[in-house]
Amino acid sequence: MTDPGRPFPRHLRQALRTIAARVYLAVCAALLVWALVVTTTDSSDDSMAGVIPLLATAPVSLVLLVLPDHAAALVVAVVLGALVNAAVIGWCARALRR
């Protein structure tokens, strides 16, 4: 799966260095900040702003929704989902460049 001389974290760092992966991470971070701001400033409990970052980082974030119902669970699910998806985007971008 990986080269014997190249450890896995090195592959991950190289995948996250691509422009496409960094743009995706920036968009996900902006969506998460927007959702948190909208949710905290909205006085009613009808805010569905948290759904947008979850959909942007699916499918990993949807799997992590089984975490306990707390605001931190949303942040953890979105952050881990964004990192996994950014790594896949970076690996695909590197493979297409070869």
Side-chain angles (χ1 to χ4, degrees):
M1 192 166 181
T2 60
D3 296 333
R6 299 179 72 184
F8 180 73
R10 185 179 219 182
H11 285 286
L12 184 62
R13 274 182 289 171
Q14 287 179 349
L16 292 177
R17 284 185 187 156
T18 62
I19 297 295
R22 288 184 180 185
V23 168
Y24 176 75
L25 284 174
V27 168
C28 289
L31 286 174
L32 180 61
V33 168
W34 170 78
L36 290 175
V37 168
V38 167
T39 303
T40 56
T41 58
D42 191 11
S43 61
S44 67
D45 290 336
D46 297 337
S47 178
M48 295 289 290
V51 174
I52 302 299
L54 283 173
L55 290 177
T57 57
V60 176
S61 63
L62 296 178
V63 171
L64 293 174
L65 278 180
V66 298
L67 296 173
D69 189 26
H70 193 267
L74 171 74
V75 174
V76 169
V78 170
V79 168
L80 289 177
L83 285 174
V84 169
N85 289 345
V88 170
I89 289 169
W91 284 327
C92 290
R94 288 186 65 227
L96 289 173
R97 265 190 301 204
R98 288 188 208 155

